[in-house]
Amino acid sequence: MTIWVPGEAGAGGAEPPDPRRHAPATLRNRNDIVTKLRDMLPPSGLVLEVASGSGEHAVHFAATFPDLDWQPTDPDPTALASIAAWRADAALPNLRLPLQLDASGANWPIDRADAVLCINMAHISPWDATVGLFTHAARLLPPGAALILYGPWVRTDAPTAPSNLAFDADLRARDSRWGLRRVEDADLLAQRHGFGACQLSAMPANNVMLLYRRTTASANDLP
């Protein structure tokens, strides 16, 4: 098993004998995330997880919510191999094979979902990926369904922790298209694509959970 830092161990390299990747943060944050998801997810249906990374979250969430079908995705073949390996180990009937999905792409390989979850993607991808997330979630989700984002988002109404400022500087040094995003910018995307007001929950380690629910109409629905 290989320790994995998203954005560093990507596609193109030789696969290790054990394709499973381990992202240490998943063990630290998964139970806190589950606590919030219990009030956000539907009792049954299909949850689309965008940017599933190593796949460890997908296994934990599928085991925790056995009445929900869990669809992991990622654009990176290395991540997809890791997800598939963790899935094989877990042997959970409600955890689907991973799909290759680029959030910024025009075509997603899925046509419906009952909830969309995206953890720690916005800051380590171009902003187009977050735009694509809202655009496609509006198409996939029925009215009332949840779009849930988790990560170190920046808020204008609250000070940014020094550790997050340092993290932001490091991200931008690695790739100028990366960096911590503003909640207010996500709110604008949500409004544009037919989601209601954000329900923000503070999380440990200077992270937040953002919950947007699909309304009955959006710009995508207009003639």
Side-chain angles (χ1 to χ4, degrees), residues 37-111:
L37 290 181
R38 291 190 188 280
D39 295 326
M40 298 177 177
L41 295 177
S44 61
L46 175 64
V47 180
L48 171 64
E49 184 183 1
V50 177
S52 300
S54 68
E56 294 165 287
H57 273 146
V59 169
H60 185 69
F61 298 155
T64 303
F65 300 101
D67 293 329
L68 288 167
D69 287 326
W70 210 270
Q71 178 61 72
T73 70
D74 206 274
D76 183 350
T78 302
L80 294 173
S82 177
I83 298 165
W86 283 113
R87 175 184 178 272
D89 284 349
L92 295 168
N94 62 324
L95 180 57
R96 298 186 176 188
L97 283 168
L99 296 175
Q100 188 165 34
L101 185 153
D102 179 351
S104 63
N107 298 306
W108 281 21
I110 189 168
D111 58 8

Side-chain angles (χ1 to χ4, degrees), residues 29 32-33 36 40 117-120 123 148-155 157-159 164 180-183 186 198-212:
N29 63 30
D32 292 315
I33 293 174
K36 295 297 182 182
M40 298 177 177
L117 173 66
C118 185
I119 295 173
N120 285 333
H123 61 282
I148 306 162
L149 292 80
Y150 169 92
W153 288 75
V154 174
R155 302 159 56 188
D157 62 348
N164 276 1
L180 270 60
R181 311 302 184 183
R182 296 172 63 249
V183 171
C198 176
Q199 299 177 39
L200 185 148
S201 301
M203 302 292 286
N206 301 312
N207 291 298
V208 296
M209 188 88 87
L210 308 180
L211 169 64
Y212 298 95

Side-chain angles (χ1 to χ4, degrees), residues 138 141-145 190 193-196 213-222:
L141 293 172
H193 292 288
F195 290 89
R213 291 202 179 271
R214 181 78 158 88
T215 59
T216 56
S218 76
N220 294 343
D221 301 323
L222 300 177

